[in-house]
Amino acid sequence: MKIVVLVKHVPDAQFDRHLNGAGNTVDRDESILSELDEYALEAALQLAEARGGSKAGNQVIALSMGPSGAVNAVKKALQMGATEGVHVTDDALAGSDAAATSLALAAAVRHLGGVDLVLTGMASTDGETSLVPAQLAERLGLPQVTFASTLEVDGGRLTARRDADTSSETVEAPLPAVVSVTDQINEPRYPNFKGIIAAKRKSITTLSLADIGVDPAQVGFAGSWTSVASAEQRPPRTAGTIITDEGDAGIKLVDFLAAQKLL
Amino acid sequence: MAKVLVFIDNPGASLKKSSLELLTLARSLGGSTVALNGDLSDGVAATLAEYGVGNILRPSAQDLDDFLVAPKAAYVAAAAEASGAGIVLLDNSPEGKEIAARVGIRLNAGVITDVVAVDGDGTAHKSVLAGSYSTACKATTPVSVLTLKANNVIPEPAPAPTTPETATVDVPAVAAAARITAREQKVASGRPDLTDARIVVAGGRGMDGDFGPVEELADALGAAVGASRAATDAGWISHDAQVGQTGKTVSPQLYISAGISGAIQQKAGMQTSQVIVAVNKDAESPVFEIADFGIIGDVFDVLPQAAAEIKKRKG
Ligand SMILES: Cc1cc2nc3c(=O)[nH]c(=O)nc-3n(C[C@H](O)[C@H](O)[C@@H](O)COP(=O)(O)OP(=O)(O)OC[C@H]3O[C@@H](n4cnc5c(N)ncnc54)[C@H](O)[C@@H]3O)c2cc1C
């Protein structure tokens, strides 16, 4: 099987994150592999391993689109066990919205050719729009399964389960397909020493827009269909009153709610 | 003023509050057409008239619910073209966003998610990076596709009701879509919906397997019950109750956090609540950094006492 896993390079959510520049884009210094993409990668590795791994010709290709630093997301994926990496990078990509991102990623998937499955996280941890997987499927004309909490592949078909608000669903689709997975699907592995050493020998292909046949005018600030006109940092929440329970904190809580007119 | 298309999916016997919010916003932006999927009951038809809907569109195909979103997106895009809509409005549920995503590609239209308000010129407001920024975004395309977060518009019927006309839209064929082969309905809790509740009481690891006190306080307040990932992973409560980065994002008037430490991924889902109350034994819990009212105490003492006091005061 040839599986492409999309891995996004995002600012670490443990620290303060910022928008900056004229286009109010996310500041990507201090970025990491989006933690939700680790679940997609683990799902890919499990599917490949169940079929005899790379020795049996299974490929798990980690694909990222982004500035030079985004190659670190690809490297982490290689350390976890992806067989090869692809980094789409081009100055013209800066400022891409979900539509432009999905355009470039779809072109990269087509460029790789013969892909059976595209796996993604349920959302990036920065943009958090969850638009990319569905847009990628629409652009590639493939079936989409989003928010999969289980995934099985048998021959040319996949079966997944997903949770909606009022029901749980079982879905089936023929391959090739685009699947986004939730953090319920598995427990991602940590890269071990062997994996870190092995990753150094794996190849990372760098692709420009010309390589994947995308016109620079279709991506980046120029080609995006949305733009952020203004952004205002909200004052961080500050701590209010803190009391220690002396046997009547429940009553004091109700007093507080009454004073706030919340009862 | 723009023509606005509102997508409403399987309303059943009556419209949800979030649908009424979409209709109210649509009216403030221009004339509204509804693209409906599913049966049009008398009750829903009456409400659509009350909310000033000009036209009701229905799909030519009956099997949209058998597939994952692709045919619904094809239908909504065709309905937008048929009605000449400049703005397409959907709810902000995961499915609403996915339909929006594909409609955007079909119409060459920018998609903006998590919208909380829309100006007359189509500028949409949303908060990003876990509530740390408020932004104004705009689609640069002739059509914009917006998904509206619940609880940001007060539903209001039109000054005068309309008599909507009904028409059918041909659903274009879709190349490939995943088929839904089984569907298990979940049991309704009878409590308000987590995503649009006015009050949320959420429990975490500190509940130690017993959500009784959380539920009791929630019921005294007429609130929805939420949980941290630790609590849902432990199986103490259904995964649907999870609040946070990979669960539901809530922005109620009041959020009570009980026995939750306040990890960044949990806080991400509740940051925009108006008032935050935290009850936790551990004075070092990060949740106290953002609580308007914090109680260092045992959830098993504080929650039942508060629930009893509320019942007493409410008589
Ligand atoms: C303030 C602000 C508001 C924004 N609002 C919108 C908006 O409303 N609409 C809009 O279209 N865009 C918006 N954007 C842009 C958007 O956040 C991203 O930049 C867009 O390129 C990708 O969307 P996402 O990160 O939300 O992806 P998601 O759809 O959340 O990502 C899902 C998965 O797709 C894959 N993926 C996504 N991007 C990449 C990548 N570059 N490389 C590899 N894999 C990837 C990953 O597997 C990821 O887990 C906004 C940006 C800012 C700064």
Side-chain angles (χ1 to χ4, degrees), chain A residues 45-219:
Chain A
L45 295 174
Q46 289 183 12
L47 286 172
E49 281 160 6
R51 282 160 184 74
S54 58
K55 287 192 191 75
N58 293 289
Q59 286 170 279
V60 175
I61 305 170
L63 167 63
S64 191
M65 178 201 111
S68 59
V71 76
N72 291 329
V74 178
K75 283 184 184 157
K76 169 99 187 271
L78 294 178
Q79 291 174 351
M80 286 173 69
T83 52
E84 59 213 85
V86 175
H87 178 204
V88 177
T89 187
D90 201 301
D91 289 345
L93 283 165
S96 293
D97 70 350
T101 301
S102 64
L103 180 100
L105 291 171
V109 170
R110 270 194 220 104
H111 174 84
L112 292 171
V115 172
D116 296 299
L117 191 59
V118 179
L119 284 173
T120 79
M122 61 185 272
S124 69
T125 57
D126 57 346
E128 255 189 288
T129 63
S130 291
L131 294 173
V132 171
Q135 295 198 320
L136 197 58
E138 181 77 45
R139 289 191 183 280
L140 292 168
L142 296 181
Q144 123 199 12
V145 177
T146 43
F147 300 100
S149 57
T150 68
L151 175 63
E152 280 160 41
V153 174
D154 190 7
R157 296 191 71 75
L158 70 86
T159 308
R161 281 181 67 84
R162 62 199 304 268
D163 255 327
D165 256 352
T166 54
S167 63
S168 297
E169 293 160 354
T170 306
V171 295
E172 279 181 30
L175 298 185
V178 177
V179 180
S180 80
V181 305
T182 72
D183 57 346
Q184 301 291 305
I185 194 166
N186 55 41
E187 215 30 78
R189 67 195 66 183
Y190 286 105
N192 58 21
F193 182 68
K194 219 176 110 202
I196 292 168
I197 297 298
K200 292 198 200 304
R201 288 192 307 270
K202 294 178 187 168
S203 72
I204 298 179
T205 310
T206 307
L207 298 174
S208 66
L209 288 176
D211 294 330
I212 57 174
V214 170
D215 175 356
Q218 287 184 291
V219 293

Side-chain angles (χ1 to χ4, degrees), chain A residues 11 13-15 17-20 24 26-27 35-36 39 97-99 102-103 122-139 141-147 157-174 176 180 182-184 186-187 221-258 260-263, chain B residues 68-70 73-74 93-95 97-114 123 126-141 175-187 193 195 198-199 217 221 229 232-233 239-240 242 244-249 253-254 256 264-265 268 270-277 279 288-298 301-303 305-307 309-310 312-314:
Chain A
Q14 303 288 344
F15 304 111
R17 295 176 293 174
H18 295 281
L19 299 177
N20 55 28
N24 292 303
V26 174
D27 180 347
E35 59 170 327
L36 296 176
Y39 298 88
D97 70 350
S102 64
L103 180 100
M122 61 185 272
S124 69
T125 57
D126 57 346
E128 255 189 288
T129 63
S130 291
L131 294 173
V132 171
Q135 295 198 320
L136 197 58
E138 181 77 45
R139 289 191 183 280
L142 296 181
Q144 123 199 12
V145 177
T146 43
F147 300 100
R157 296 191 71 75
L158 70 86
T159 308
R161 281 181 67 84
R162 62 199 304 268
D163 255 327
D165 256 352
T166 54
S167 63
S168 297
E169 293 160 354
T170 306
V171 295
E172 279 181 30
S180 80
T182 72
D183 57 346
Q184 301 291 305
N186 55 41
E187 215 30 78
F221 288 112
S224 285
W225 294 340
T226 62
S227 73
V228 184
S230 67
E232 222 177 283
Q233 194 161 13
R234 290 222 196 145
R237 288 192 91 105
T238 47
T241 316
I242 297 185
I243 62 167
T244 302
D245 186 18
E246 283 162 353
D248 61 351
I251 316 273
K252 287 193 174 137
L253 170 54
V254 181
D255 288 340
F256 170 80
L257 298 182
Q260 298 279 325
K261 302 204 166 23
L262 286 165
L263 277 191
Chain B
L68 276 190
V69 309
S93 63
E95 181 157 318
K97 286 196 250 186
E98 275 163 44
I99 297 169
R102 298 186 76 129
V103 169
I105 300 300
R106 284 185 164 258
L107 297 177
N108 291 336
V111 184
I112 302 175
T113 60
D114 300 301
T123 300
K126 68 186 275 188
S127 82
V128 297
L129 298 179
S132 55
Y133 282 83
S134 307
T135 65
C137 307
K138 202 162 188 244
T140 54
T141 45
R179 178 178 280 279
I180 299 170
T181 53
R183 198 181 259 130
E184 288 154 42
Q185 228 50 45
K186 291 181 184 167
V187 254
D193 232 23
T195 29
R198 201 176 68 87
I199 304 180
L217 181 59
L221 287 163
R229 176 157 185 203
T232 59
D233 277 359
H239 180 64
D240 299 334
Q242 186 181 314
Q245 190 180 55
T246 57
K248 298 199 165 96
T249 308
Q253 284 169 6
L254 169 65
I256 301 184
I264 186 94
Q265 291 87 349
M270 51 165 281
Q271 209 64 293
T272 53
S273 307
Q274 277 169 33
V275 175
I276 297 174
V277 169
V279 185
F288 287 124
E289 293 162 16
I290 59 164
D292 299 288
F293 189 71
I295 298 172
I296 302 166
D298 191 330
D301 297 330
V302 180
L303 268 46
Q305 188 182 48
E309 181 69 14
I310 292 164
K312 201 171 94 192
R313 291 198 198 178
K314 283 190 174 167

Side-chain angles (χ1 to χ4, degrees), chain B residues 191-275:
Chain B
R191 295 196 176 91
D193 232 23
L194 190 54
T195 29
D196 49 40
R198 201 176 68 87
I199 304 180
V200 173
V201 184
R205 204 189 295 277
M207 298 317 298
D208 216 5
D210 178 7
F211 258 65
V214 167
E215 289 171 355
E216 198 191 331
L217 181 59
D219 290 340
L221 287 163
V225 170
S228 71
R229 176 157 185 203
T232 59
D233 277 359
W236 299 342
I237 182 159
S238 141
H239 180 64
D240 299 334
Q242 186 181 314
V243 173
Q245 190 180 55
T246 57
K248 298 199 165 96
T249 308
V250 299
S251 31
Q253 284 169 6
L254 169 65
Y255 184 88
I256 301 184
S257 155
I260 301 179
S261 64
I264 186 94
Q265 291 87 349
Q266 211 280 325
K267 281 200 283 191
M270 51 165 281
Q271 209 64 293
T272 53
S273 307
Q274 277 169 33
V275 175

